[in-house]
Amino acid sequence: MSDSIQIGYMPPGDGVSAQNVMELVAYGQVKGLDFVVSPINSPAYRRVLFEGHEPQSVAMREWRAGLNAMTPSDLVLQTASHAQYIVGTLPQWQEFDSTDARVRLHSELALKQQLGWASHIALGGILLPFPSSQTSSTNYGRVLTTHLSNPMYTSCWLMVPCLDEELERGVSEEEQGIKSWERWNELRNMAGFDSKLGVALVISGTLPSDSILDRWLAEPVKVVILPEEVFLTNPKGYPVLSKRYQTVIRRLMKHTSTFVISSAAFPKLVVDEFSDDALEQHPSSPHADYLRYLLRTQESAGVIDQFAHGYQDYLQMPLQPLQDHLDYNTYEKDPIKYQLYESAIEKALQDRPVPTNGELDITVIMVVGAGRGPLVNCALRASEKAARNVRVYAVEKNPNAFITIQNKKASIWGDRVNIVFSDMRTWKAPEKADILVSELLGSFGDNELSPECLDGAQKFLKPDGISIPYNYTAFVAPMMSNKLHNDVSGFKEAARLESSYVVMFKSVSLLAEPKPIWTFEHPNRVDLLPDEDPLSNHHNVRYGSIEFTSDAGGMLHGVAGYFESVLYKDILMSINPETHSPGMFSWFPIYFPIKTPLYVPAKAQVVVDFWRLTDSRKVWYEWRVTCKLEGRGVIQSTPIHNVGGKSSTQSKCPSLSVPTMMAGSQDVRKKLQDIWTDIESHEDRESHEFFPAEVWIQICRYLYPSQLSQMSMVNKSLNSIVSQLNVWSRIFAITYGPKAQLRLLGSTHESKSYMLYMCASSRHVCERCFARADYQLDAAYKLPHPTPMLLPRRSTETAIYLGDRIDLTWTIRMCLPCRKDHFLVYEEPYELGLQRQIQVKALYYKYPSASRVPLIASGSGSGMYSNMSEKTAVFHMRDYFGGDIGIKQSKESTIMPDNTTEARLRWYQLQP
């Protein structure tokens, strides 16, 4: 949800003319509005539909041939003055689906002129008319598709009523509004799901049902238009909305920040200061003030919303816990999750039998996958609450996390905890456990290989031992999200449409409530023998087929996944919307896309088939969706996605050894090329199978942007991976500000546009600050924001832009404080021959940047040049600038980009 909203005003179009449009702009500014809406053309432009002319007149033939453009009398907006403050509208008289071929043609030619003029004067946006319910919209859809596919710098929004009474005649009350959505969906399907066309949703006097409104929240609603007629008047004479409308508008404010107040009456553009009308004398628009009041009084963001800020509808690859050394900063900040775990452990301790016959009263708890120790802390606190003696084992395979728990054992835990550096599947436990505790769950329950991990750990659990969690169930639901499907489709690799993504849903509408599809229980006493590892993983194969009924129609873009887990007895931990654990934010839902969206009619049955499959090396999911109608059978279906795990898998193998990319390494590209060559040497397997794309994406998380630029030079596969990382848009936002917008290239993935632009420009960010802030824009509460800095001049032809040719001497970019810290750790060797004495005058000539170093500059006085050791001078310069790279960058940096940089930026701007 935005912290502010943009509010515009739309008077009746027939009241706006070239003579009073500037008065309308002034009126909007006086009333505190952010923009006004005005027709682009005057009624005179209707002449192009032969009004006053014969179809074969000279004027018409010349206009049709493009020899005559619009005249000033055809325009309301005749100049670019205040164009950014104006949103234009197109007239309703253009008939794109007329039965008259000449009218259809001239309507299209007029639209081309109108869009061209709007781009020329840089209008703030264009509102396109909704097609009449009495005519077809097929040709209108083709016309929009044609012209919106051309480069445009003005946003276009189609005005769609949320409930068109003419369209909805004969529709049942609970489905009122579905015809308007279907009309929009028809046009959107023709334009393509990746179209630049947005929705300007017109709120009607009668609101549709909540299920229909949910469909709109999954659409690209960019503007909400509120007629003044939907407002009520309070006892003081000011406009307000009913409770129902307030709820709808508050929901929409979480999805869009642009609102338009439309009026059926033309206002007094020049305010009468002697008028008795309180609203006319009001210094600002009372309707706009009321909308801002609704925004101010929105419920404050909950813990989950605060945590997810910046992550809504952002695609993330699921973790590979058996390959990755996980980053625990996020997962260990969730207090709700650990409260649930602590309660479960406490109950399990209380249920353990009391020792008799002098037996030792000690309960053995083994925490497998201990991370940095939060579950160990839960176990110790639970033992105190339950008044039971415990001996805790903390098993962890991540070497970085193990250092942390070593420190905790030394300073906090002491002898109460035994720490073990090992993979839980291969560890030989010295004794059996009474309670086995783990937090290996993923967004789909089992998608991070919890079953496989706990199978290996079950052998050191006593016959009556307890596993926490006890079980976990996967849930699925058919879902609609134009944005998520567009984002996945934007990737060049077809495999991305057969991969799963962890997403904090925002612009998503579920077509039906989630249903359970399968469950895993631990310990598994049925399929596994005591004290033995499983011989195969076939017992963890699952299949489910679930049928849903869609209450309202919609587009099906994929399947949403959730989980519920019973930790112990009645302790439930869930991300399923119906049973979500309040305030818990450790897991976002999971999204399984489908290649081609399906239209689901109201009351249709949607069947989701899901498989969890495995072989000796990996686990993967396969899925398909079928749509059926009663009496007609199957009307649509998808192929099975991700057959054989060809596009996405979870590997059961330990991670491959990858050389550490040390800060300051001079040729990351060479190291990555060596890795790739080594992989290609395995003749029995293709490189993408041996080292799939998701593994490279995880490697990328440990590289600086300048090192990623070298990685992009290895081959086309890595170039494609690097160009799709969101790191580039974050660098752009930090460098130029969060409100800055970049013109995206039409022929590339969105992230690649940011990548190409950032590499063409002469500005960057300090990469060490960036990494220390976890590559997040909202990390100011932890560390200072990454420092924007200037890059040195690059006048060589070898630095054209990322993805083409790049200067391999580039290294990580650091601000001055980080350079100094870096130099203390990675001290650079001295060149040979730096033992001689050198005059300061000669020193300044050889090292111009030395004059900026206080300890050197103070060595000269009153025009006398003293001698000093060159090695000493270089030491002081390195200490001041942060190493040799600091000296060089200080000397070469410039505020103004050089000619080559400007040429690269011009190259970017010329791209389609």
Side-chain angles (χ1 to χ4, degrees):
M1 181 179 67
S2 174
D3 294 332
S4 62
I5 54 176
Q6 303 289 309
I7 302 178
Y9 174 68
M10 181 166 65
D14 55 7
V16 186
S17 65
Q19 290 71 39
N20 66 7
V21 68
M22 287 300 104
E23 292 179 1
L24 176 63
V25 169
Y27 173 84
Q29 292 173 336
V30 167
K31 290 294 185 179
L33 298 163
D34 299 290
F35 60 91
V36 294
V37 180
S38 165
I40 296 175
N41 295 104
S42 68
Y45 192 53
R46 191 163 180 165
R47 64 183 173 80
V48 301
L49 296 190
F50 316 115
E51 293 197 359
H53 299 275
E54 292 297 324
Q56 295 302 325
S57 67
V58 174
M60 282 293 93
R61 285 189 287 115
E62 289 180 347
W63 181 84
R64 189 162 49 238
L67 301 178
N68 289 334
M70 288 186 290
T71 64
S73 63
D74 293 331
L75 293 165
V76 171
L77 305 178
Q78 298 179 351
T79 69
S81 177
H82 294 86
Q84 285 295 322
Y85 192 78
I86 300 173
V87 169
T89 60
L90 300 185
Q92 290 283 352
W93 48 255
Q94 287 171 264
E95 299 179 46
F96 299 96
D97 287 271
S98 170
T99 56
D100 188 321
R102 288 193 179 93
V103 172
R104 288 199 307 271
L105 174 62
H106 281 223
S107 295
E108 181 175 356
L109 294 176
L111 177 67
K112 183 178 180 181
Q113 283 192 335
Q114 292 160 334
L115 295 179
W117 178 249
S119 289
H120 176 72
I121 64 175
L123 271 186
I126 303 174
L127 291 172
L128 302 171
F130 191 64
S132 169
S133 60
Q134 305 301 318
T135 63
S136 168
S137 60
T138 302
N139 193 55
Y140 188 33
R142 182 200 62 80
V143 169
L144 291 180
T145 302
T146 300
H147 294 288
L148 292 180
S149 63
N150 297 325
M152 278 191 64
Y153 304 105
T154 301
S155 299
C156 292
W157 309 307
L158 182 70
M159 291 191 292
V160 184
C162 68
L163 194 152
D164 187 319
E165 293 184 358
E166 289 190 16
L167 277 175
E168 306 297 336
R169 286 178 182 172
V171 178
S172 62
E173 183 176 348
E174 64 271 14
E175 294 181 11
Q176 286 284 310
I178 191 62
K179 293 295 183 181
S180 295
W181 178 86
E182 288 177 344
R183 188 85 157 167
W184 147 254
N185 188 55
E186 180 185 0
L187 288 169
R188 186 261 308 281
N189 286 341
M190 285 189 281
F193 284 90
D194 58 346
S195 168
K196 304 170 187 174
L197 186 63
V199 172
L201 189 63
V202 183
I203 303 300
S204 55
T206 303
L207 288 173
S209 64
D210 287 341
S211 61
I212 302 299
L213 285 172
D214 283 345
R215 300 295 178 265
W216 287 114
L217 298 182
E219 296 290 2
V221 176
K222 306 298 183 182
V223 181
V224 174
I225 300 177
L226 269 171
E228 289 183 350
E229 291 76 18
V230 304
F231 286 84
L232 306 175
T233 303
N234 68 7
K236 295 184 178 180
Y238 287 93
V240 294
L241 291 172
S242 67
K243 295 293 185 181
R244 168 79 168 133
Y245 277 92
Q246 288 182 41
T247 301
V248 170
I249 297 304
R250 290 184 191 276
R251 291 186 68 190
L252 289 167
M253 282 180 172
K254 296 180 179 180
H255 293 263
T256 183
S257 59
T258 306
F259 290 77
V260 174
I261 299 166
S262 65
S263 175
F266 201 79
K268 292 182 180 179
L269 299 183
V270 179
V271 177
D272 182 1
E273 60 185 70
F274 301 105
S275 171
D276 295 329
D277 190 335
L279 294 185
E280 181 180 343
Q281 295 300 319
H282 199 281
S284 59
S285 165
H287 297 85
D289 286 347
Y290 183 75
L291 290 180
R292 294 187 180 105
Y293 161 77
L294 291 182
L295 179 68
R296 290 195 308 271
T297 55
Q298 286 270 58
E299 290 185 7
S300 57
V303 175
I304 297 177
D305 291 332
Q306 292 177 20
F307 174 78
H309 179 68
Y311 288 98
Q312 289 95 342
D313 293 338
Y314 171 68
L315 301 172
Q316 302 177 73
M317 299 299 293
L319 295 177
Q320 293 271 358
L322 297 186
Q323 287 197 330
D324 302 337
H325 292 318
L326 303 181
D327 179 359
Y328 298 94
N329 287 322
T330 299
Y331 311 105
E332 296 183 356
K333 290 179 180 176
D334 189 338
I336 304 302
K337 174 178 66 175
Y338 293 115
Q339 289 173 15
L340 294 172
Y341 265 99
E342 186 174 326
S343 298
I345 298 172
E346 181 184 356
K347 281 197 171 186
L349 285 171
Q350 291 171 344
D351 289 347
R352 297 301 294 168
V354 177
T356 59
N357 301 325
E359 295 177 2
L360 291 177
D361 180 15
I362 295 180
T363 301
V364 178
I365 301 177
M366 291 183 178
V367 179
V368 291
R372 298 189 301 189
L375 284 181
V376 176
N377 292 330
C378 290
L380 295 176
R381 288 194 298 267
S383 68
E384 293 174 359
K385 293 179 181 179
R388 300 297 294 266
N389 296 321
V390 298
R391 180 161 53 247
V392 179
Y393 289 85
V395 184
E396 177 55 50
K397 72 178 180 66
N398 184 330
N400 300 316
F402 191 72
I403 293 173
T404 302
I405 62 176
Q406 281 180 307
N407 292 333
K408 287 187 176 180
K409 175 177 172 61
S411 60
I412 303 173
W413 299 334
D415 294 336
R416 294 181 297 170
V417 178
N418 302 290
I419 59 175
V420 180
F421 180 55
S422 176
D423 188 319
M424 69 183 77
R425 297 171 298 172
T426 59
W427 178 47
K428 305 298 183 183
E431 60 180 323
K432 296 282 188 176
D434 296 292
I435 302 174
L436 183 67
V437 185
S438 64
E439 53 172 333
L440 306 170
L441 301 177
S443 298
F444 204 41
D446 55 86
N447 64 298
E448 293 182 10
L449 304 184
S450 177
E452 286 71 23
C453 293
L454 293 179
D455 282 352
Q458 181 175 318
K459 57 182 176 290
F460 45 78
L461 188 63
K462 291 179 180 179
D464 62 344
I466 296 170
S467 173
I468 299 176
Y470 164 67
N471 68 27
Y472 35 92
T473 301
F475 284 73
V476 294
M479 59 170 279
M480 170 180 168
S481 178
N482 184 67
K483 182 183 187 308
L484 292 183
H485 195 271
N486 281 350
D487 289 349
V488 177
S489 301
F491 295 119
K492 290 184 178 180
E493 301 95 335
R496 292 302 189 93
L497 280 164
E498 297 184 87
S499 302
S500 58
Y501 302 89
V502 175
V503 186
M504 177 57 178
F505 291 158
K506 181 182 179 184
S507 301
V508 170
S509 174
L510 297 183
L511 301 182
E513 295 299 322
K515 292 184 178 181
I517 195 165
W518 59 59
T519 299
F520 287 88
E521 291 187 359
H522 299 284
N524 184 352
R525 309 288 189 193
V526 175
D527 300 303
L528 302 181
L529 296 176
D531 303 325
E532 291 187 13
D533 289 321
L535 296 178
S536 72
N537 198 38
H538 296 310
H539 60 284
N540 287 326
V541 169
R542 294 289 189 275
Y543 166 66
S545 182
I546 306 296
E547 183 173 295
F548 302 86
T549 299
S550 176
D551 293 332
M555 291 300 298
L556 195 152
H557 294 106
V559 179
Y562 309 89
F563 80 87
E564 288 181 359
S565 174
V566 175
L567 296 180
Y568 183 72
K569 290 190 173 180
D570 61 341
I571 307 296
L572 178 70
M573 184 170 68
S574 171
I575 65 167
N576 181 13
E578 292 185 357
T579 58
H580 197 290
S581 301
M584 189 176 69
F585 54 77
S586 284
W587 295 275
F588 295 159
I590 194 167
Y591 169 48
F592 296 92
I594 58 175
K595 295 179 182 178
T596 304
L598 303 181
Y599 171 66
V600 179
K603 306 304 180 183
Q605 284 73 48
V606 177
V607 179
V608 176
D609 293 293
F610 239 92
W611 294 264
R612 186 186 197 266
L613 302 172
T614 180
D615 61 19
S616 60
R617 297 181 59 85
K618 61 184 182 293
V619 173
W620 69 94
Y621 297 105
E622 297 179 12
W623 61 95
R624 75 186 292 263
V625 180
T626 304
C627 183
K628 301 188 298 183
L629 271 178
E630 187 175 353
R632 292 180 55 188
V634 175
I635 57 173
Q636 298 179 88
S637 65
T638 70
I640 297 177
H641 289 64
N642 195 35
V643 175
K646 64 180 181 180
S647 299
S648 64
T649 65
Q650 288 288 99
S651 175
K652 299 192 295 179
C653 303
S655 59
L656 296 172
S657 176
V658 178
T660 302
M661 306 304 172
M662 297 299 294
S665 62
Q666 292 296 309
D667 197 349
V668 175
R669 178 186 176 187
K670 176 65 168 58
K671 291 184 178 181
L672 288 166
Q673 184 69 65
D674 291 342
I675 296 173
W676 197 272
T677 302
D678 179 62
I679 292 170
E680 296 285 9
S681 66
H682 291 260
E683 298 179 357
D684 59 325
R685 307 194 68 201
E686 296 291 334
S687 60
H688 69 275
E689 291 185 66
F690 189 86
F691 223 20
E694 52 264 31
V695 176
W696 286 106
I697 290 174
Q698 293 301 322
I699 291 175
C700 292
R701 295 173 57 220
Y702 298 97
L703 300 183
Y704 293 108
S706 54
Q707 293 171 330
L708 288 171
S709 68
Q710 297 186 27
M711 181 175 175
S712 73
M713 291 296 299
V714 174
N715 57 33
K716 290 182 179 180
S717 297
L718 289 182
N719 181 280
S720 177
I721 291 170
V722 170
S723 68
Q724 294 175 21
L725 299 174
N726 68 319
V727 65
W728 306 110
S729 58
R730 290 179 178 176
I731 291 178
F732 179 88
I734 293 171
T735 305
Y736 295 101
K739 294 185 178 180
Q741 294 185 346
L742 178 69
R743 183 182 69 83
L744 303 179
L745 304 183
S747 59
T748 66
H749 187 274
E750 178 179 330
S751 297
K752 189 164 187 177
S753 296
Y754 286 99
M755 180 182 79
L756 295 179
Y757 186 86
M758 291 310 300
C759 294
S761 68
S762 293
R763 290 183 63 81
H764 215 294
V765 298
C766 172
E767 298 188 358
R768 289 204 46 186
C769 287
F770 194 39
R772 289 168 58 214
D774 292 334
Y775 302 92
Q776 305 301 321
L777 296 181
D778 56 351
Y781 68 95
K782 294 187 297 186
L783 292 167
H785 273 296
T787 307
M789 58 176 290
L790 295 170
L791 289 184
R793 284 188 178 183
R794 286 293 166 190
S795 300
T796 62
E797 294 182 356
T798 57
I800 297 178
Y801 63 90
L802 187 66
D804 190 347
R805 296 192 301 275
I806 198 162
D807 185 348
L808 294 181
T809 63
W810 283 21
T811 185
I812 68 170
R813 307 305 185 189
M814 291 179 281
C815 59
L816 184 57
C818 286
R819 285 178 186 167
K820 292 180 178 180
D821 293 341
H822 176 78
F823 172 64
L824 295 177
V825 179
Y826 302 102
E827 186 173 351
E828 295 154 350
Y830 290 100
E831 297 179 9
L832 297 176
L834 291 185
Q835 301 298 330
R836 63 189 180 90
Q837 296 291 107
I838 185 172
Q839 282 193 331
V840 174
K841 180 178 181 180
L843 180 71
Y844 289 171
Y845 180 79
K846 185 173 182 180
Y847 303 104
S849 55
S851 60
R852 296 174 53 190
V853 182
L855 290 174
I856 299 178
S858 62
S860 61
S862 304
M864 300 296 293
Y865 300 108
S866 59
N867 295 337
M868 71 166 51
S869 165
E870 185 177 5
K871 185 173 181 179
T872 301
V874 171
F875 174 82
H876 288 315
M877 283 190 289
R878 284 179 172 178
D879 184 54
Y880 182 80
F881 291 113
D884 282 344
I885 181 177
I887 301 172
K888 294 173 184 176
Q889 287 192 345
S890 173
K891 186 170 89 171
E892 296 176 357
S893 292
T894 175
I895 294 177
M896 299 299 294
D898 62 0
N899 292 336
T900 303
T901 296
E902 291 178 351
R904 294 199 298 270
L905 290 173
R906 283 197 299 273
W907 169 87
Y908 179 91
Q909 296 299 334
L910 290 174
Q911 301 309 298

